[in-house]
Amino acid sequence: MAPDALVVGFDLDMTLIDSRPGIAAVWDAVSARTGVHVDSATVVTRLGPPLDHEAAQWFPPAQVPAAVALYRELYPDLAVEAAALLPGAAEAIKAVRRHGGKVLVVTAKNEPHSRLHLEHLGLEVDEIAGDVWAEEKGTVLRAHNATIYVGDHHGDMLGARTAGALALGVPTGPLSAEELRAAGADVVLTDLADFPYWLDEHMLTTRLAALETQLTALGSLVVAFSGGADSAFLLAAAVRALGSDNVAAATAVSPSLPDAELAPAREFADSLGVRHLTPRTDEMAREGYRANDGDRCYFCKAELLEVVTPIAAELDIAHVATGTNADDARAGFRPGIRAAAERGAVTPLRDAGLTKEQVREASRRWGLPTWDKPAAACLSSRIAYGLSITPARLARVEQAEVALRAVLAETGVPVRNLRVRDVGDTARIEVDADLVEAVEALQEAHEAVLAAGFETAEVDPKGFRSGSMNDLLPEPSRFR
């Protein structure tokens, strides 16, 4: 299973929901109907096992099936609306979603009643498995490739162990933290409110370990190093795993690379002790690149790989790697990724499941200066699709951005993300959304852009958006 295939199972009663008031009300009603004494206050102190186990504590064996049937008949009207979410339950499920994971509910409660609870409380899950307990939970978890199971009972910990999943306990049910650990919990949290923070750390640690394993297996590689956060982190990770002698950085030099990016890239590579190669690429010679249709990035990446791969072979380096991350792979139509894959490039960050957020966080922890570096796509990304890519257009955009940054720095406007988009004779200025009004009112900003050769300049009221040029395509969703 891929390291980013996150599947998390949750128990229901006293893990996600506090169902005690409703369950007590149902048992009180069953007791009243049958005339058999049931101490509902005791019942709700030991929730977890299957319903017939509890019924057997109060009814003779021959009457247990009828008692269970009556309980289930009364349950929807008396128990569903009485239940409440436990602290952090909704946030825990959102945390799994944020990591691209699937959510299972695996419970001893029957599936129809479980579904009623989840629907009433607005919890959306991918699968519900009911009427399972202890080792049976493990069978279900294994069938769904669950990697984590969260519960409050010893039966939950046994289920996780049976499945080979990480057993995570929350002492919100009948067991204390110490009892959960004794029952086999790998991790015990105070409650689910701590789960998102724990999951963030767990996923980062797991994916960094997967990255190190992959890089070690590669043996040696050239990193296609743009100088951005992703490729910088990959370069640093490769040095950690393989040593600087088995790693090289290749920064392609062409009109589409802003001049300001080259020196920092060289300094970063030097700080890691790796060879920094600066091969010249000529994407402008490719008709598909100059035409600047929606698949322009395909031709750019094809040129890069066809220049760098032979250099890697000359250096006796086994692989060429790009900084593609897991978010990139989920972003839809990405012709550059396809071009690189067709030419044998490896994508260790993507394969380890590392997202952009995780790359930045790991970079911060490692003390890399690129951890918070704004995205810096190539200059061609500033040219509206359908307008031919020419050296003059690229130079005009670069000159406008350099001049605009200088003006904003001089006037104290703290811009982080900035683009000058070439949409013909007009320059469309994109800055951080909270700075749009300030830049719009700054005459010097407009003059700086016009001085680069544009006839008119306008500030985009929506602010900076990565990939905003895709909005101008006939089918923009294909290029997201």
Side-chain angles (χ1 to χ4, degrees):
M1 186 170 55
D4 60 331
L6 174 65
V7 181
V8 180
F10 291 89
D11 177 46
L12 185 61
D13 290 317
M14 302 314 299
T15 296
L16 289 174
I17 67 172
D18 184 350
S19 51
R20 290 174 298 184
I23 289 175
V26 176
W27 278 118
D28 288 342
V30 169
S31 180
R33 291 275 192 99
T34 61
V36 175
H37 171 68
V38 177
D39 184 352
S40 61
T42 298
V43 170
V44 296
T45 66
R46 56 193 187 200
L47 299 181
L51 176 59
D52 56 355
H53 288 207
E54 186 60 49
Q57 303 299 313
W58 310 100
F59 291 85
Q63 296 179 25
V64 167
V68 168
L70 178 59
Y71 177 97
R72 288 183 168 166
E73 178 187 342
L74 298 171
Y75 194 94
D77 291 334
L78 298 178
V80 173
E81 293 187 8
L85 288 176
L86 283 166
E91 292 76 12
I93 289 176
K94 289 178 182 177
V96 178
R97 301 281 191 220
R98 185 161 48 81
H99 284 284
K102 292 180 61 177
V103 177
L104 315 176
V105 166
V106 184
T107 174
K109 190 183 298 297
N110 68 10
E111 186 272 337
H113 292 168
S114 299
R115 189 173 299 279
L116 288 174
H117 276 300
L118 295 170
E119 291 175 352
H120 176 69
L121 294 169
L123 294 182
E124 295 186 5
V125 303
D126 296 289
E127 300 284 347
I128 304 171
D131 286 317
V132 288
W133 167 244
E135 293 92 345
E136 295 173 341
K137 289 189 172 187
T139 301
V140 173
L141 293 167
R142 189 186 299 112
H144 288 279
N145 293 319
T147 52
I148 301 167
Y149 185 59
V150 186
D152 65 279
H153 201 279
H154 68 80
D156 301 327
M157 301 304 101
L158 180 55
R161 290 294 189 182
T162 302
L166 188 144
L168 194 154
V170 283
T172 45
L175 272 63
S176 68
E178 292 74 17
E179 290 170 324
L180 285 167
R181 291 189 185 95
D186 297 295
V187 177
V188 177
L189 303 178
T190 301
D191 56 32
L192 286 181
D194 291 335
F195 180 82
Y197 308 101
W198 173 85
L199 185 63
D200 286 348
E201 189 66 23
H202 172 75
M203 295 307 298
L204 180 58
T205 300
T206 300
R207 289 171 177 174
L208 287 176
L211 176 63
E212 182 176 13
T213 299
Q214 291 183 38
L215 291 171
T216 301
L218 291 173
S220 60
L221 75 163
V222 173
V223 175
F225 179 44
S226 67
D230 294 322
S231 58
F233 175 71
L234 176 58
L235 186 62
V239 170
R240 285 182 171 222
L242 300 170
S244 58
D245 290 344
N246 295 309
V247 180
T251 303
V253 178
S254 76
S256 65
L257 175 73
D259 288 341
E261 292 294 323
L262 187 56
R266 181 182 297 110
E267 292 171 6
F268 185 86
D270 289 346
S271 73
L272 297 174
V274 301
R275 288 164 289 183
H276 185 226
L277 314 172
T278 54
R280 291 202 165 269
T281 55
D282 189 14
E283 51 267 31
M284 206 71 70
R286 296 179 180 252
E287 182 179 349
Y289 179 84
R290 295 194 309 273
N292 194 25
D293 291 329
D295 59 352
R296 179 198 66 235
C297 291
Y298 179 92
F299 301 98
C300 181
K301 195 68 75 174
E303 173 71 10
L304 172 64
L305 269 296
E306 289 175 15
V307 168
V308 174
T309 300
I311 295 174
E314 290 174 8
L315 296 174
D316 198 26
I317 293 179
H319 302 278
V320 176
T322 68
T324 301
N325 63 47
D327 290 332
D328 296 330
R330 291 191 285 263
F333 179 78
R334 297 297 293 267
I337 293 177
R338 178 166 61 88
E342 289 174 355
R343 287 154 181 81
V346 295
T347 54
L349 300 182
R350 182 189 70 175
D351 297 343
L354 283 156
T355 64
K356 186 75 169 186
E357 180 182 355
Q358 289 174 327
V359 165
R360 290 195 182 279
E361 175 58 20
S363 297
R364 185 189 66 79
R365 296 184 185 189
W366 291 3
L368 303 183
T370 51
W371 77 270
D372 63 344
K373 183 177 180 179
C378 75
L379 291 171
S380 299
S381 68
R382 278 74 149 171
I383 313 299
Y385 290 115
L387 298 177
S388 296
I389 302 291
T390 66
R393 281 191 184 279
L394 297 176
R396 181 170 68 169
V397 165
E398 182 172 19
Q399 181 182 340
E401 288 191 357
V402 170
L404 181 55
R405 280 194 181 275
V407 166
L408 297 180
E410 291 172 3
T411 54
V413 178
V415 68
R416 174 176 170 80
N417 293 293
L418 181 154
R419 295 286 188 273
V420 174
R421 309 287 193 187
D422 183 339
V423 294
D425 294 327
T426 297
R428 192 177 73 194
I429 301 167
E430 292 182 13
V431 294
D432 305 296
D434 59 335
L435 300 177
V436 167
E437 291 185 8
V439 175
E440 176 66 49
L442 193 62
Q443 183 61 30
E444 296 97 319
H446 293 262
E447 292 173 354
V449 173
L450 295 175
F454 289 97
E455 293 184 10
T456 58
E458 59 187 29
V459 178
D460 190 326
K462 296 180 181 179
F464 169 78
R465 286 111 59 223
S466 181
S468 64
M469 283 305 197
N470 293 339
D471 295 343
L472 303 179
L473 290 165
E475 298 178 73
S477 61
R478 292 182 58 229
F479 300 87
R480 292 294 182 195

